[in-house]
């Protein structure tokens, strides 16, 4: 059973003049797989929005051609990496074509369902979390300056959320010739969740708040709106985007 319940939302937040995030969710017709993708663009007023939109559309377009019903999780990861590489090339080609987009790039985090769970792909600092009644686990590792500082023990994870350099990422689609993705296979129990989100959510909503609203909140349909409300109560200085996927 590949199919999952899926919800998505994006919001400009309370400070930014433009929403440079993008997301897409889809049920792949031929394979029955559920796909979720979240991207956070960067690179000037025009560039960030263009980069994130190219990334979600090209990534999904390529998966449409690559996904089949009988692929193993490892084969799904290979298909996902191929789709991300083609999205990277498309962003770079557009940056060459348009002067105002010359420095654009974007993060990408995605999940593709298989019978026993999901495969996750990420580049940049948008995240994937696995959420069950037992707790919340971050699947991905940020490709960012502050994550490197946390790894070295220079700052704590909590300090990283408010660090002045928290927006400096070390890997992105469009910015790197070979924007290598990290890949994960995550088995899931029925009823558990995958949350894909940009740093606009991560920096304003704690892991415990995410866990509480998703597992114990009133209903799933309004869960992402409630998380957005918490982000706005914290000032929502960045765009806020999330996709929530629940294994059936």
């Amino acid at each position: 059973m590949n199919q999952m319940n899926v919800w998505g939302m994006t919001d400009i937040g309370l400070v930014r003049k433009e929403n440079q995030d993008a997301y897409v969710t889809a049920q792949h017709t031929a394979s029955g797989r559920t796909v979720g993708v979240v991207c956070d663009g960067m690179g000037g007023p025009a560039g960030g929005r263009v980069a994130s939109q190219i990334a979600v559309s090209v990534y999904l377009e390529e998966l449409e051609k690559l996904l089949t019903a009988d692929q193993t999780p490892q084969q799904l990861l290979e298909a996902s990496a191929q789709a991300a590489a083609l999205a990277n090339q498309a962003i770079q080609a557009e940056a060459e074509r348009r002067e105002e987009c010359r420095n654009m790039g974007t993060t990408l985090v995605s999940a593709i369902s298989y019978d026993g769970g999901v495969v996750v792909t990420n580049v940049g600092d948008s995240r994937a979390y696995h959420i069950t009644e037992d707790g919340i686990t971050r699947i991905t590792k940020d490709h960012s300056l502050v994550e490197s500082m946390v790894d070295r023990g220079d700052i704590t994870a909590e300090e990283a959320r408010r660090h002045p350099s928290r927006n400096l990422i070390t890997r992105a689609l469009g910015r790197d010739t070979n924007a290598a993705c990290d890949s994960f296979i995550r088995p899931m129990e029925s009823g558990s969740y995958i949350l894909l989100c940009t740093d606009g959510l991560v920096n304003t909503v704690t892991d415990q708040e995410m866990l509480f609203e998703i597992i114990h909140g009133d209903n799933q349909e309004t869960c992402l709106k409630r998380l957005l409300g918490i982000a706005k109560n914290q000032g929502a200085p960045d765009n806020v985007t999330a996709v929530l996927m629940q294994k059936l």
Side-chain angles (χ1 to χ4, degrees), residues 45-101:
R49 180 172 50 83
V50 172
S52 63
Q53 289 175 347
I54 290 173
V56 295
S57 61
V58 171
Y59 179 83
L60 190 63
E61 210 173 273
E62 294 305 323
L63 284 187
E64 281 289 335
K65 305 171 193 171
L66 295 169
L67 295 186
T68 64
D70 59 353
Q71 284 162 310
T72 65
Q74 188 57 47
Q75 288 170 326
L76 289 175
L77 285 177
E78 289 164 9
S80 181
Q82 187 176 333
L86 289 165
N88 189 40
Q89 290 171 18
I91 295 164
Q92 290 174 336
E94 188 69 4
E96 285 293 315
R97 201 176 68 80
R98 294 170 59 179
E99 179 64 38
E100 71 273 22
C101 295

Side-chain angles (χ1 to χ4, degrees), residues 19-63:
N19 191 347
Q20 297 192 342
D21 290 354
Y23 81 90
V24 69
T25 65
Q27 300 285 355
H28 185 257
T29 312
S31 66
R33 301 186 187 283
T34 304
V35 179
V37 192
V38 166
C39 293
D40 179 356
M42 65 210 78
R49 180 172 50 83
V50 172
S52 63
Q53 289 175 347
I54 290 173
V56 295
S57 61
V58 171
Y59 179 83
L60 190 63
E61 210 173 273
E62 294 305 323
L63 284 187

Side-chain angles (χ1 to χ4, degrees), residues 37-245:
V37 192
V38 166
C39 293
D40 179 356
M42 65 210 78
R49 180 172 50 83
V50 172
S52 63
Q53 289 175 347
I54 290 173
V56 295
S57 61
V58 171
Y59 179 83
L60 190 63
E61 210 173 273
E62 294 305 323
L63 284 187
E64 281 289 335
K65 305 171 193 171
L66 295 169
L67 295 186
T68 64
D70 59 353
Q71 284 162 310
T72 65
Q74 188 57 47
Q75 288 170 326
L76 289 175
L77 285 177
E78 289 164 9
S80 181
Q82 187 176 333
L86 289 165
N88 189 40
Q89 290 171 18
I91 295 164
Q92 290 174 336
E94 188 69 4
E96 285 293 315
R97 201 176 68 80
R98 294 170 59 179
E99 179 64 38
E100 71 273 22
C101 295
R102 196 52 51 93
N103 294 313
M104 70 179 176
T106 184
T107 69
L108 180 143
V109 62
S110 69
I112 305 169
S113 67
Y114 68 93
D115 282 349
V118 294
V119 299
V120 170
T121 298
N122 84 293
V123 59
D125 65 352
S126 294
R127 292 182 179 177
Y129 290 89
H130 184 197
I131 299 169
T132 72
E133 290 189 353
D134 294 331
I136 179 168
T137 307
R138 178 159 44 125
I139 300 169
T140 54
K141 191 171 183 63
D142 296 350
H143 303 134
S144 69
L145 182 63
V146 293
E147 186 88 333
S148 302
M149 294 167 74
V150 171
D151 287 346
R152 290 197 305 267
D154 296 343
I155 59 173
T156 66
E158 185 55 34
E159 286 168 339
R161 294 177 75 233
R162 293 171 176 78
H163 196 278
S165 298
R166 65 184 177 275
N167 293 326
L168 295 178
I169 65 173
T170 53
R171 212 186 295 175
L173 296 183
R175 295 274 182 91
D176 302 299
T177 306
N178 176 25
C181 297
D182 289 347
S183 300
F184 307 88
I185 297 170
R186 176 57 55 142
M188 295 175 68
E189 296 294 327
S190 178
S192 64
Y193 297 87
I194 294 292
L195 177 68
L196 309 175
C197 58
T198 59
D199 63 344
L201 186 72
V202 169
N203 291 329
T204 51
V205 181
T206 67
D207 289 6
Q208 289 307 305
E209 286 169 329
M210 293 179 199
L211 174 65
F212 181 84
E213 292 300 337
I214 290 169
I215 297 295
H216 304 294
D218 288 341
N219 78 60
Q220 299 156 324
E221 301 297 328
T222 59
C223 173
L224 293 183
K225 287 182 181 174
R226 295 195 304 274
L227 291 177
L228 176 61
I230 296 170
K232 287 187 170 180
N233 285 339
Q234 293 295 321
D238 201 353
N239 310 145
V240 181
T241 302
V243 164
L244 183 64
M245 303 168 71

Side-chain angles (χ1 to χ4, degrees), residues 12-20 45 49 236-239:
I12 196 170
L14 299 177
V15 175
R16 296 293 173 88
K17 292 184 169 61
E18 181 180 50
N19 191 347
Q20 297 192 342
R49 180 172 50 83
D238 201 353
N239 310 145

